[in-house]
Amino acid sequence: MTSPMQKASELVAHAASICVLTGAGISAESGIKTFRDAGGLWENHSIEAVATPEGFEQNPRLVWEFYNARRKAAKVASPNPAHLALARLEQGRLHRAKQKPTATNGHGKAHRQPQPITILTQNVDGLHQHAGSQNVVELHGSVWKVRCTRCGAISDDHPVELPVLPYCSACGALLRPHIVWFGESLDPGVLDAAEVAVEECDLFLVIGTSAVVQPAASYPFIATRHGKPVIEVNKEKTPVSAIATVSLIGLAGEILPKIV
Ligand code: OAD
């Protein structure tokens, strides 16, 4: 009899294009707190105070202090075996794709091939990129980016602690973290990229998310509706477990290296 772990490994081995949805649980073993576990990220703050546009309007200093602390935590964290396994998987697939002759359509043009791996992450810590993953869609933004509240310019800003309060070098207005807060919509370009990845993949992986925040939470369900197998890796059951083809209960850092 095939064990769930073997079944997951076989699904991964045979999939040409894999879409991976990750949440805070994949970074837990790197020492970054999750949101909803006991003692989680919101521990000492209300979500309204630090993760809503209204909270920022009322007390931008508190919000910047909160995100400076997030930057510090992300800076000292290293990718764990789960991040590294996904990066290795992508590198292996890209290497294999380079060695294959390019398929052409009837007009001699190369077919657009789906990406071998697309990571849709709800995390803002940059650890997938740090591990070496190249095709990462940051659904909820990044702690390493700032956005001007007036001109909207987005820039990478890597000093660990920004001055409280930071201002735009182009127009002088207050900068805010480039993070999607509660009550805000995801960037339309990001949404499009995510939808394409969900549609084009032939396997969907869900790792370390409680799957309660939309639209990310709906992606595994959309994948299932399109007939794609879904593998879930989580240390406990979630709403996705009921529809998953294979549900692996345990730590992402232990399971991922085994199935990829
Ligand atoms: P949550 O904190 O809601 O869920 C973390 C999930 O990871 C839980 O299901 C845990 O069981 C699981 N988990 C924890 N440690 C794990 C490990 N080592 N291996 C495997 N699984 C583990 O975090 P998210 O689902 O990412 O949004 O939360 C989604 C969004 O809610 C966040 O991006 C954030 C928050 O509001 C915004 O800030 C916009």
Side-chain angles (χ1 to χ4, degrees), residues 26-28 30-32 73-80 83-84 87 123-133 136 138 144:
I26 197 168
S27 293
S30 294
I32 296 185
K75 187 73 187 177
V76 297
S78 303
N80 67 54
H83 298 107
L84 295 169
N123 301 343
V124 295
D125 53 33
L127 285 178
H128 284 299
Q129 293 92 329
H130 192 167
S133 286
V136 182
E138 291 179 315
W144 302 114

mmCIF file with all atom_site columns, all heavy atoms in Angstrom, residues 26-28 30-32 73-80 83-84 87 123-133 136 138 144:
data_model
loop_
_atom_site.group_PDB
_atom_site.id
_atom_site.type_symbol
_atom_site.label_atom_id
_atom_site.label_alt_id
_atom_site.label_comp_id
_atom_site.label_asym_id
_atom_site.label_entity_id
_atom_site.label_seq_id
_atom_site.pdbx_PDB_ins_code
_atom_site.Cartn_x
_atom_site.Cartn_y
_atom_site.Cartn_z
_atom_site.occupancy
_atom_site.B_iso_or_equiv
_atom_site.pdbx_formal_charge
_atom_site.auth_seq_id
_atom_site.auth_comp_id
_atom_site.auth_asym_id
_atom_site.auth_atom_id
_atom_site.pdbx_PDB_model_num
ATOM 1   N N   . ILE A 1 26  ? 5.211  28.044 7.291  1.00 0.00 ? 26  ILE A N   1
ATOM 2   C CA  . ILE A 1 26  ? 6.469  27.609 6.654  1.00 0.00 ? 26  ILE A CA  1
ATOM 3   C C   . ILE A 1 26  ? 7.652  28.368 7.244  1.00 0.00 ? 26  ILE A C   1
ATOM 4   O O   . ILE A 1 26  ? 8.785  27.880 7.215  1.00 0.00 ? 26  ILE A O   1
ATOM 5   C CB  . ILE A 1 26  ? 6.428  27.729 5.101  1.00 0.00 ? 26  ILE A CB  1
ATOM 6   C CG1 . ILE A 1 26  ? 7.568  26.888 4.496  1.00 0.00 ? 26  ILE A CG1 1
ATOM 7   C CG2 . ILE A 1 26  ? 6.509  29.164 4.627  1.00 0.00 ? 26  ILE A CG2 1
ATOM 8   C CD1 . ILE A 1 26  ? 7.492  26.673 2.997  1.00 0.00 ? 26  ILE A CD1 1
ATOM 9   N N   . SER A 1 27  ? 7.406  29.528 7.819  1.00 0.00 ? 27  SER A N   1
ATOM 10  C CA  . SER A 1 27  ? 8.516  30.298 8.416  1.00 0.00 ? 27  SER A CA  1
ATOM 11  C C   . SER A 1 27  ? 8.631  30.075 9.923  1.00 0.00 ? 27  SER A C   1
ATOM 12  O O   . SER A 1 27  ? 9.544  30.607 10.554 1.00 0.00 ? 27  SER A O   1
ATOM 13  C CB  . SER A 1 27  ? 8.331  31.792 8.119  1.00 0.00 ? 27  SER A CB  1
ATOM 14  O OG  . SER A 1 27  ? 8.470  32.048 6.739  1.00 0.00 ? 27  SER A OG  1
ATOM 15  N N   . ALA A 1 28  ? 7.702  29.283 10.489 1.00 0.00 ? 28  ALA A N   1
ATOM 16  C CA  . ALA A 1 28  ? 7.717  29.089 11.950 1.00 0.00 ? 28  ALA A CA  1
ATOM 17  C C   . ALA A 1 28  ? 9.029  28.468 12.414 1.00 0.00 ? 28  ALA A C   1
ATOM 18  O O   . ALA A 1 28  ? 9.599  28.871 13.430 1.00 0.00 ? 28  ALA A O   1
ATOM 19  C CB  . ALA A 1 28  ? 6.534  28.220 12.368 1.00 0.00 ? 28  ALA A CB  1
ATOM 20  N N   . SER A 1 30  ? 11.793 28.883 11.176 1.00 0.00 ? 30  SER A N   1
ATOM 21  C CA  . SER A 1 30  ? 12.887 29.869 11.052 1.00 0.00 ? 30  SER A CA  1
ATOM 22  C C   . SER A 1 30  ? 12.816 30.859 12.204 1.00 0.00 ? 30  SER A C   1
ATOM 23  O O   . SER A 1 30  ? 13.558 31.846 12.222 1.00 0.00 ? 30  SER A O   1
ATOM 24  C CB  . SER A 1 30  ? 12.759 30.628 9.725  1.00 0.00 ? 30  SER A CB  1
ATOM 25  O OG  . SER A 1 30  ? 12.955 29.769 8.637  1.00 0.00 ? 30  SER A OG  1
ATOM 26  N N   . GLY A 1 31  ? 11.861 30.651 13.118 1.00 0.00 ? 31  GLY A N   1
ATOM 27  C CA  . GLY A 1 31  ? 11.771 31.509 14.299 1.00 0.00 ? 31  GLY A CA  1
ATOM 28  C C   . GLY A 1 31  ? 10.857 32.708 14.125 1.00 0.00 ? 31  GLY A C   1
ATOM 29  O O   . GLY A 1 31  ? 10.873 33.620 14.949 1.00 0.00 ? 31  GLY A O   1
ATOM 30  N N   . ILE A 1 32  ? 10.053 32.713 13.052 1.00 0.00 ? 32  ILE A N   1
ATOM 31  C CA  . ILE A 1 32  ? 9.106  33.834 12.866 1.00 0.00 ? 32  ILE A CA  1
ATOM 32  C C   . ILE A 1 32  ? 7.726  33.396 13.346 1.00 0.00 ? 32  ILE A C   1
ATOM 33  O O   . ILE A 1 32  ? 7.228  32.341 12.932 1.00 0.00 ? 32  ILE A O   1
ATOM 34  C CB  . ILE A 1 32  ? 9.082  34.283 11.390 1.00 0.00 ? 32  ILE A CB  1
ATOM 35  C CG1 . ILE A 1 32  ? 10.475 34.819 11.043 1.00 0.00 ? 32  ILE A CG1 1
ATOM 36  C CG2 . ILE A 1 32  ? 8.008  35.336 11.150 1.00 0.00 ? 32  ILE A CG2 1
ATOM 37  C CD1 . ILE A 1 32  ? 10.618 35.419 9.683  1.00 0.00 ? 32  ILE A CD1 1
ATOM 38  N N   . ALA A 1 73  ? 13.047 40.797 12.956 1.00 0.00 ? 73  ALA A N   1
ATOM 39  C CA  . ALA A 1 73  ? 12.829 39.342 13.061 1.00 0.00 ? 73  ALA A CA  1
ATOM 40  C C   . ALA A 1 73  ? 13.161 38.663 11.729 1.00 0.00 ? 73  ALA A C   1
ATOM 41  O O   . ALA A 1 73  ? 13.774 37.590 11.696 1.00 0.00 ? 73  ALA A O   1
ATOM 42  C CB  . ALA A 1 73  ? 11.387 39.058 13.467 1.00 0.00 ? 73  ALA A CB  1
ATOM 43  N N   . ALA A 1 74  ? 12.767 39.310 10.612 1.00 0.00 ? 74  ALA A N   1
ATOM 44  C CA  . ALA A 1 74  ? 13.027 38.700 9.294  1.00 0.00 ? 74  ALA A CA  1
ATOM 45  C C   . ALA A 1 74  ? 14.518 38.725 8.977  1.00 0.00 ? 74  ALA A C   1
ATOM 46  O O   . ALA A 1 74  ? 15.043 37.798 8.358  1.00 0.00 ? 74  ALA A O   1
ATOM 47  C CB  . ALA A 1 74  ? 12.239 39.438 8.213  1.00 0.00 ? 74  ALA A CB  1
ATOM 48  N N   . LYS A 1 75  ? 15.202 39.773 9.414  1.00 0.00 ? 75  LYS A N   1
ATOM 49  C CA  . LYS A 1 75  ? 16.630 39.908 9.104  1.00 0.00 ? 75  LYS A CA  1
ATOM 50  C C   . LYS A 1 75  ? 17.460 38.810 9.776  1.00 0.00 ? 75  LYS A C   1
ATOM 51  O O   . LYS A 1 75  ? 18.379 38.264 9.171  1.00 0.00 ? 75  LYS A O   1
ATOM 52  C CB  . LYS A 1 75  ? 17.108 41.289 9.584  1.00 0.00 ? 75  LYS A CB  1
ATOM 53  C CG  . LYS A 1 75  ? 18.510 41.639 9.179  1.00 0.00 ? 75  LYS A CG  1
ATOM 54  C CD  . LYS A 1 75  ? 18.564 41.948 7.704  1.00 0.00 ? 75  LYS A CD  1
ATOM 55  C CE  . LYS A 1 75  ? 19.977 42.131 7.209  1.00 0.00 ? 75  LYS A CE  1
ATOM 56  N NZ  . LYS A 1 75  ? 20.028 42.356 5.773  1.00 0.00 ? 75  LYS A NZ  1
ATOM 57  N N   . VAL A 1 76  ? 17.109 38.479 11.018 1.00 0.00 ? 76  VAL A N   1
ATOM 58  C CA  . VAL A 1 76  ? 17.921 37.462 11.719 1.00 0.00 ? 76  VAL A CA  1
ATOM 59  C C   . VAL A 1 76  ? 17.492 36.029 11.377 1.00 0.00 ? 76  VAL A C   1
ATOM 60  O O   . VAL A 1 76  ? 18.187 35.085 11.712 1.00 0.00 ? 76  VAL A O   1
ATOM 61  C CB  . VAL A 1 76  ? 17.907 37.648 13.264 1.00 0.00 ? 76  VAL A CB  1
ATOM 62  C CG1 . VAL A 1 76  ? 18.533 38.975 13.655 1.00 0.00 ? 76  VAL A CG1 1
ATOM 63  C CG2 . VAL A 1 76  ? 16.512 37.509 13.838 1.00 0.00 ? 76  VAL A CG2 1
ATOM 64  N N   . ALA A 1 77  ? 16.351 35.903 10.686 1.00 0.00 ? 77  ALA A N   1
ATOM 65  C CA  . ALA A 1 77  ? 15.861 34.549 10.361 1.00 0.00 ? 77  ALA A CA  1
ATOM 66  C C   . ALA A 1 77  ? 16.561 34.011 9.117  1.00 0.00 ? 77  ALA A C   1
ATOM 67  O O   . ALA A 1 77  ? 16.888 34.762 8.207  1.00 0.00 ? 77  ALA A O   1
ATOM 68  C CB  . ALA A 1 77  ? 14.363 34.598 10.115 1.00 0.00 ? 77  ALA A CB  1
ATOM 69  N N   . SER A 1 78  ? 16.777 32.704 9.103  1.00 0.00 ? 78  SER A N   1
ATOM 70  C CA  . SER A 1 78  ? 17.339 32.055 7.899  1.00 0.00 ? 78  SER A CA  1
ATOM 71  C C   . SER A 1 78  ? 16.291 31.117 7.329  1.00 0.00 ? 78  SER A C   1
ATOM 72  O O   . SER A 1 78  ? 15.477 30.570 8.076  1.00 0.00 ? 78  SER A O   1
ATOM 73  C CB  . SER A 1 78  ? 18.550 31.206 8.266  1.00 0.00 ? 78  SER A CB  1
ATOM 74  O OG  . SER A 1 78  ? 19.493 31.994 8.908  1.00 0.00 ? 78  SER A OG  1
ATOM 75  N N   . PRO A 1 79  ? 16.348 30.909 6.021  1.00 0.00 ? 79  PRO A N   1
ATOM 76  C CA  . PRO A 1 79  ? 15.418 29.941 5.436  1.00 0.00 ? 79  PRO A CA  1
ATOM 77  C C   . PRO A 1 79  ? 15.623 28.578 6.087  1.00 0.00 ? 79  PRO A C   1
ATOM 78  O O   . PRO A 1 79  ? 16.751 28.226 6.433  1.00 0.00 ? 79  PRO A O   1
ATOM 79  C CB  . PRO A 1 79  ? 15.842 29.887 3.963  1.00 0.00 ? 79  PRO A CB  1
ATOM 80  C CG  . PRO A 1 79  ? 16.705 31.071 3.721  1.00 0.00 ? 79  PRO A CG  1
ATOM 81  C CD  . PRO A 1 79  ? 17.273 31.492 5.034  1.00 0.00 ? 79  PRO A CD  1
ATOM 82  N N   . ASN A 1 80  ? 14.539 27.846 6.289  1.00 0.00 ? 80  ASN A N   1
ATOM 83  C CA  . ASN A 1 80  ? 14.648 26.514 6.910  1.00 0.00 ? 80  ASN A CA  1
ATOM 84  C C   . ASN A 1 80  ? 14.539 25.431 5.825  1.00 0.00 ? 80  ASN A C   1
ATOM 85  O O   . ASN A 1 80  ? 14.360 25.747 4.641  1.00 0.00 ? 80  ASN A O   1
ATOM 86  C CB  . ASN A 1 80  ? 13.608 26.378 8.033  1.00 0.00 ? 80  ASN A CB  1
ATOM 87  C CG  . ASN A 1 80  ? 12.199 26.372 7.500  1.00 0.00 ? 80  ASN A CG  1
ATOM 88  O OD1 . ASN A 1 80  ? 11.854 25.577 6.623  1.00 0.00 ? 80  ASN A OD1 1
ATOM 89  N ND2 . ASN A 1 80  ? 11.363 27.292 7.987  1.00 0.00 ? 80  ASN A ND2 1
ATOM 90  N N   . HIS A 1 83  ? 11.783 25.938 3.068  1.00 0.00 ? 83  HIS A N   1
ATOM 91  C CA  . HIS A 1 83  ? 12.065 26.942 2.029  1.00 0.00 ? 83  HIS A CA  1
ATOM 92  C C   . HIS A 1 83  ? 13.117 26.406 1.053  1.00 0.00 ? 83  HIS A C   1
ATOM 93  O O   . HIS A 1 83  ? 12.998 26.554 -0.166 1.00 0.00 ? 83  HIS A O   1
ATOM 94  C CB  . HIS A 1 83  ? 12.652 28.227 2.639  1.00 0.00 ? 83  HIS A CB  1
ATOM 95  C CG  . HIS A 1 83  ? 11.766 28.951 3.602  1.00 0.00 ? 83  HIS A CG  1
ATOM 96  N ND1 . HIS A 1 83  ? 11.994 28.951 4.949  1.00 0.00 ? 83  HIS A ND1 1
ATOM 97  C CD2 . HIS A 1 83  ? 10.683 29.743 3.406  1.00 0.00 ? 83  HIS A CD2 1
ATOM 98  C CE1 . HIS A 1 83  ? 11.079 29.690 5.550  1.00 0.00 ? 83  HIS A CE1 1
ATOM 99  N NE2 . HIS A 1 83  ? 10.270 30.182 4.639  1.00 0.00 ? 83  HIS A NE2 1
ATOM 100 N N   . LEU A 1 84  ? 14.154 25.783 1.622  1.00 0.00 ? 84  LEU A N   1
ATOM 101 C CA  . LEU A 1 84  ? 15.277 25.328 0.789  1.00 0.00 ? 84  LEU A CA  1
ATOM 102 C C   . LEU A 1 84  ? 14.843 24.201 -0.153 1.00 0.00 ? 84  LEU A C   1
ATOM 103 O O   . LEU A 1 84  ? 15.271 24.146 -1.305 1.00 0.00 ? 84  LEU A O   1
ATOM 104 C CB  . LEU A 1 84  ? 16.447 24.873 1.687  1.00 0.00 ? 84  LEU A CB  1
ATOM 105 C CG  . LEU A 1 84  ? 17.071 26.010 2.518  1.00 0.00 ? 84  LEU A CG  1
ATOM 106 C CD1 . LEU A 1 84  ? 18.016 25.464 3.572  1.00 0.00 ? 84  LEU A CD1 1
ATOM 107 C CD2 . LEU A 1 84  ? 17.798 27.020 1.621  1.00 0.00 ? 84  LEU A CD2 1
ATOM 108 N N   . ALA A 1 87  ? 13.097 25.719 -3.106 1.00 0.00 ? 87  ALA A N   1
ATOM 109 C CA  . ALA A 1 87  ? 14.056 26.388 -4.007 1.00 0.00 ? 87  ALA A CA  1
ATOM 110 C C   . ALA A 1 87  ? 14.816 25.350 -4.829 1.00 0.00 ? 87  ALA A C   1
ATOM 111 O O   . ALA A 1 87  ? 15.011 25.516 -6.037 1.00 0.00 ? 87  ALA A O   1
ATOM 112 C CB  . ALA A 1 87  ? 15.021 27.246 -3.188 1.00 0.00 ? 87  ALA A CB  1
ATOM 113 N N   . ASN A 1 123 ? 3.360  35.311 3.114  1.00 0.00 ? 123 ASN A N   1
ATOM 114 C CA  . ASN A 1 123 ? 4.367  35.830 4.042  1.00 0.00 ? 123 ASN A CA  1
ATOM 115 C C   . ASN A 1 123 ? 5.036  37.072 3.468  1.00 0.00 ? 123 ASN A C   1
ATOM 116 O O   . ASN A 1 123 ? 5.173  37.221 2.261  1.00 0.00 ? 123 ASN A O   1
ATOM 117 C CB  . ASN A 1 123 ? 5.413  34.753 4.334  1.00 0.00 ? 123 ASN A CB  1
ATOM 118 C CG  . ASN A 1 123 ? 4.779  33.518 4.936  1.00 0.00 ? 123 ASN A CG  1
ATOM 119 O OD1 . ASN A 1 123 ? 3.648  33.586 5.414  1.00 0.00 ? 123 ASN A OD1 1
ATOM 120 N ND2 . ASN A 1 123 ? 5.459  32.401 4.907  1.00 0.00 ? 123 ASN A ND2 1
ATOM 121 N N   . VAL A 1 124 ? 5.495  37.917 4.379  1.00 0.00 ? 124 VAL A N   1
ATOM 122 C CA  . VAL A 1 124 ? 6.094  39.188 3.956  1.00 0.00 ? 124 VAL A CA  1
ATOM 123 C C   . VAL A 1 124 ? 7.577  39.228 4.341  1.00 0.00 ? 124 VAL A C   1
ATOM 124 O O   . VAL A 1 124 ? 8.205  40.263 4.286  1.00 0.00 ? 124 VAL A O   1
ATOM 125 C CB  . VAL A 1 124 ? 5.330  40.388 4.590  1.00 0.00 ? 124 VAL A CB  1
ATOM 126 C CG1 . VAL A 1 124 ? 3.904  40.459 4.077  1.00 0.00 ? 124 VAL A CG1 1
ATOM 127 C CG2 . VAL A 1 124 ? 5.318  40.309 6.123  1.00 0.00 ? 124 VAL A CG2 1
ATOM 128 N N   . ASP A 1 125 ? 8.131  38.050 4.725  1.00 0.00 ? 125 ASP A N   1
ATOM 129 C CA  . ASP A 1 125 ? 9.489  38.027 5.290  1.00 0.00 ? 125 ASP A CA  1
ATOM 130 C C   . ASP A 1 125 ? 10.610 37.853 4.271  1.00 0.00 ? 125 ASP A C   1
ATOM 131 O O   . ASP A 1 125 ? 11.788 37.978 4.604  1.00 0.00 ? 125 ASP A O   1
ATOM 132 C CB  . ASP A 1 125 ? 9.589  36.905 6.351  1.00 0.00 ? 125 ASP A CB  1
ATOM 133 C CG  . ASP A 1 125 ? 9.139  35.535 5.822  1.00 0.00 ? 125 ASP A CG  1
ATOM 134 O OD1 . ASP A 1 125 ? 9.330  35.242 4.624  1.00 0.00 ? 125 ASP A OD1 1
ATOM 135 O OD2 . ASP A 1 125 ? 8.595  34.739 6.617  1.00 0.00 ? 125 ASP A OD2 1
ATOM 136 N N   . GLY A 1 126 ? 10.288 37.550 3.023  1.00 0.00 ? 126 GLY A N   1
ATOM 137 C CA  . GLY A 1 126 ? 11.307 37.406 1.975  1.00 0.00 ? 126 GLY A CA  1
ATOM 138 C C   . GLY A 1 126 ? 12.125 36.119 2.073  1.00 0.00 ? 126 GLY A C   1
ATOM 139 O O   . GLY A 1 126 ? 13.115 35.966 1.347  1.00 0.00 ? 126 GLY A O   1
ATOM 140 N N   . LEU A 1 127 ? 11.718 35.167 2.918  1.00 0.00 ? 127 LEU A N   1
ATOM 141 C CA  . LEU A 1 127 ? 12.562 33.981 3.119  1.00 0.00 ? 127 LEU A CA  1
ATOM 142 C C   . LEU A 1 127 ? 12.581 33.023 1.911  1.00 0.00 ? 127 LEU A C   1
ATOM 143 O O   . LEU A 1 127 ? 13.564 32.320 1.698  1.00 0.00 ? 127 LEU A O   1
ATOM 144 C CB  . LEU A 1 127 ? 12.161 33.225 4.395  1.00 0.00 ? 127 LEU A CB  1
ATOM 145 C CG  . LEU A 1 127 ? 12.607 33.908 5.694  1.00 0.00 ? 127 LEU A CG  1
ATOM 146 C CD1 . LEU A 1 127 ? 12.116 33.123 6.915  1.00 0.00 ? 127 LEU A CD1 1
ATOM 147 C CD2 . LEU A 1 127 ? 14.129 34.054 5.767  1.00 0.00 ? 127 LEU A CD2 1
ATOM 148 N N   . HIS A 1 128 ? 11.515 33.016 1.108  1.00 0.00 ? 128 HIS A N   1
ATOM 149 C CA  . HIS A 1 128 ? 11.559 32.168 -0.104 1.00 0.00 ? 128 HIS A CA  1
ATOM 150 C C   . HIS A 1 128 ? 12.652 32.679 -1.053 1.00 0.00 ? 128 HIS A C   1
ATOM 151 O O   . HIS A 1 128 ? 13.440 31.891 -1.581 1.00 0.00 ? 128 HIS A O   1
ATOM 152 C CB  . HIS A 1 128 ? 10.217 32.189 -0.837 1.00 0.00 ? 128 HIS A CB  1
ATOM 153 C CG  . HIS A 1 128 ? 9.160  31.371 -0.176 1.00 0.00 ? 128 HIS A CG  1
ATOM 154 N ND1 . HIS A 1 128 ? 9.277  30.012 0.021  1.00 0.00 ? 128 HIS A ND1 1
ATOM 155 C CD2 . HIS A 1 128 ? 7.954  31.714 0.332  1.00 0.00 ? 128 HIS A CD2 1
ATOM 156 C CE1 . HIS A 1 128 ? 8.191  29.556 0.618  1.00 0.00 ? 128 HIS A CE1 1
ATOM 157 N NE2 . HIS A 1 128 ? 7.372  30.565 0.821  1.00 0.00 ? 128 HIS A NE2 1
ATOM 158 N N   . GLN A 1 129 ? 12.689 33.996 -1.263 1.00 0.00 ? 129 GLN A N   1
ATOM 159 C CA  . GLN A 1 129 ? 13.716 34.554 -2.157 1.00 0.00 ? 129 GLN A CA  1
ATOM 160 C C   . GLN A 1 129 ? 15.104 34.336 -1.558 1.00 0.00 ? 129 GLN A C   1
ATOM 161 O O   . GLN A 1 129 ? 16.046 34.014 -2.265 1.00 0.00 ? 129 GLN A O   1
ATOM 162 C CB  . GLN A 1 129 ? 13.475 36.056 -2.364 1.00 0.00 ? 129 GLN A CB  1
ATOM 163 C CG  . GLN A 1 129 ? 12.206 36.393 -3.129 1.00 0.00 ? 129 GLN A CG  1
ATOM 164 C CD  . GLN A 1 129 ? 11.007 36.613 -2.226 1.00 0.00 ? 129 GLN A CD  1
ATOM 165 O OE1 . GLN A 1 129 ? 10.894 36.018 -1.149 1.00 0.00 ? 129 GLN A OE1 1
ATOM 166 N NE2 . GLN A 1 129 ? 10.099 37.461 -2.655 1.00 0.00 ? 129 GLN A NE2 1
ATOM 167 N N   . HIS A 1 130 ? 15.202 34.507 -0.245 1.00 0.00 ? 130 HIS A N   1
ATOM 168 C CA  . HIS A 1 130 ? 16.476 34.300 0.444  1.00 0.00 ? 130 HIS A CA  1
ATOM 169 C C   . HIS A 1 130 ? 16.962 32.853 0.240  1.00 0.00 ? 130 HIS A C   1
ATOM 170 O O   . HIS A 1 130 ? 18.162 32.595 0.101  1.00 0.00 ? 130 HIS A O   1
ATOM 171 C CB  . HIS A 1 130 ? 16.249 34.605 1.934  1.00 0.00 ? 130 HIS A CB  1
ATOM 172 C CG  . HIS A 1 130 ? 17.498 34.726 2.730  1.00 0.00 ? 130 HIS A CG  1
ATOM 173 N ND1 . HIS A 1 130 ? 17.520 35.250 3.987  1.00 0.00 ? 130 HIS A ND1 1
ATOM 174 C CD2 . HIS A 1 130 ? 18.762 34.376 2.480  1.00 0.00 ? 130 HIS A CD2 1
ATOM 175 C CE1 . HIS A 1 130 ? 18.755 35.218 4.452  1.00 0.00 ? 130 HIS A CE1 1
ATOM 176 N NE2 . HIS A 1 130 ? 19.520 34.695 3.558  1.00 0.00 ? 130 HIS A NE2 1
ATOM 177 N N   . ALA A 1 131 ? 16.024 31.917 0.181  1.00 0.00 ? 131 ALA A N   1
ATOM 178 C CA  . ALA A 1 131 ? 16.392 30.500 -0.025 1.00 0.00 ? 131 ALA A CA  1
ATOM 179 C C   . ALA A 1 131 ? 16.822 30.240 -1.465 1.00 0.00 ? 131 ALA A C   1
ATOM 180 O O   . ALA A 1 131 ? 17.408 29.201 -1.754 1.00 0.00 ? 131 ALA A O   1
ATOM 181 C CB  . ALA A 1 131 ? 15.202 29.604 0.328  1.00 0.00 ? 131 ALA A CB  1
ATOM 182 N N   . GLY A 1 132 ? 16.473 31.158 -2.377 1.00 0.00 ? 132 GLY A N   1
ATOM 183 C CA  . GLY A 1 132 ? 16.867 30.982 -3.788 1.00 0.00 ? 132 GLY A CA  1
ATOM 184 C C   . GLY A 1 132 ? 15.689 30.774 -4.730 1.00 0.00 ? 132 GLY A C   1
ATOM 185 O O   . GLY A 1 132 ? 15.892 30.596 -5.927 1.00 0.00 ? 132 GLY A O   1
ATOM 186 N N   . SER A 1 133 ? 14.452 30.808 -4.218 1.00 0.00 ? 133 SER A N   1
ATOM 187 C CA  . SER A 1 133 ? 13.302 30.668 -5.119 1.00 0.00 ? 133 SER A CA  1
ATOM 188 C C   . SER A 1 133 ? 13.199 31.921 -5.984 1.00 0.00 ? 133 SER A C   1
ATOM 189 O O   . SER A 1 133 ? 13.354 33.041 -5.493 1.00 0.00 ? 133 SER A O   1
ATOM 190 C CB  . SER A 1 133 ? 12.008 30.493 -4.318 1.00 0.00 ? 133 SER A CB  1
ATOM 191 O OG  . SER A 1 133 ? 11.965 29.197 -3.781 1.00 0.00 ? 133 SER A OG  1
ATOM 192 N N   . VAL A 1 136 ? 8.373  33.941 -7.170 1.00 0.00 ? 136 VAL A N   1
ATOM 193 C CA  . VAL A 1 136 ? 7.602  34.107 -5.934 1.00 0.00 ? 136 VAL A CA  1
ATOM 194 C C   . VAL A 1 136 ? 6.634  35.278 -6.106 1.00 0.00 ? 136 VAL A C   1
ATOM 195 O O   . VAL A 1 136 ? 7.043  36.376 -6.499 1.00 0.00 ? 136 VAL A O   1
ATOM 196 C CB  . VAL A 1 136 ? 8.541  34.413 -4.738 1.00 0.00 ? 136 VAL A CB  1
ATOM 197 C CG1 . VAL A 1 136 ? 7.744  34.544 -3.447 1.00 0.00 ? 136 VAL A CG1 1
ATOM 198 C CG2 . VAL A 1 136 ? 9.619  33.351 -4.599 1.00 0.00 ? 136 VAL A CG2 1
ATOM 199 N N   . GLU A 1 138 ? 4.319  37.673 -4.045 1.00 0.00 ? 138 GLU A N   1
ATOM 200 C CA  . GLU A 1 138 ? 4.064  38.091 -2.652 1.00 0.00 ? 138 GLU A CA  1
ATOM 201 C C   . GLU A 1 138 ? 2.653  38.666 -2.569 1.00 0.00 ? 138 GLU A C   1
ATOM 202 O O   . GLU A 1 138 ? 2.417  39.815 -2.911 1.00 0.00 ? 138 GLU A O   1
ATOM 203 C CB  . GLU A 1 138 ? 5.116  39.119 -2.228 1.00 0.00 ? 138 GLU A CB  1
ATOM 204 C CG  . GLU A 1 138 ? 6.495  38.490 -2.096 1.00 0.00 ? 138 GLU A CG  1
ATOM 205 C CD  . GLU A 1 138 ? 7.586  39.466 -1.701 1.00 0.00 ? 138 GLU A CD  1
ATOM 206 O OE1 . GLU A 1 138 ? 7.633  40.574 -2.286 1.00 0.00 ? 138 GLU A OE1 1
ATOM 207 O OE2 . GLU A 1 138 ? 8.387  39.127 -0.802 1.00 0.00 ? 138 GLU A OE2 1
ATOM 208 N N   . TRP A 1 144 ? 10.188 44.356 3.261  1.00 0.00 ? 144 TRP A N   1
ATOM 209 C CA  . TRP A 1 144 ? 11.381 45.012 2.707  1.00 0.00 ? 144 TRP A CA  1
ATOM 210 C C   . TRP A 1 144 ? 11.029 46.078 1.686  1.00 0.00 ? 144 TRP A C   1
ATOM 211 O O   . TRP A 1 144 ? 11.914 46.633 1.036  1.00 0.00 ? 144 TRP A O   1
ATOM 212 C CB  . TRP A 1 144 ? 12.337 43.968 2.107  1.00 0.00 ? 144 TRP A CB  1
ATOM 213 C CG  . TRP A 1 144 ? 12.735 42.971 3.146  1.00 0.00 ? 144 TRP A CG  1
ATOM 214 C CD1 . TRP A 1 144 ? 12.431 41.644 3.173  1.00 0.00 ? 144 TRP A CD1 1
ATOM 215 C CD2 . TRP A 1 144 ? 13.476 43.230 4.343  1.00 0.00 ? 144 TRP A CD2 1
ATOM 216 N NE1 . TRP A 1 144 ? 12.932 41.064 4.298  1.00 0.00 ? 144 TRP A NE1 1
ATOM 217 C CE2 . TRP A 1 144 ? 13.581 42.011 5.042  1.00 0.00 ? 144 TRP A CE2 1
ATOM 218 C CE3 . TRP A 1 144 ? 14.054 44.373 4.902  1.00 0.00 ? 144 TRP A CE3 1
ATOM 219 C CZ2 . TRP A 1 144 ? 14.250 41.899 6.266  1.00 0.00 ? 144 TRP A CZ2 1
ATOM 220 C CZ3 . TRP A 1 144 ? 14.714 44.266 6.113  1.00 0.00 ? 144 TRP A CZ3 1
ATOM 221 C CH2 . TRP A 1 144 ? 14.811 43.049 6.776  1.00 0.00 ? 144 TRP A CH2 1
#
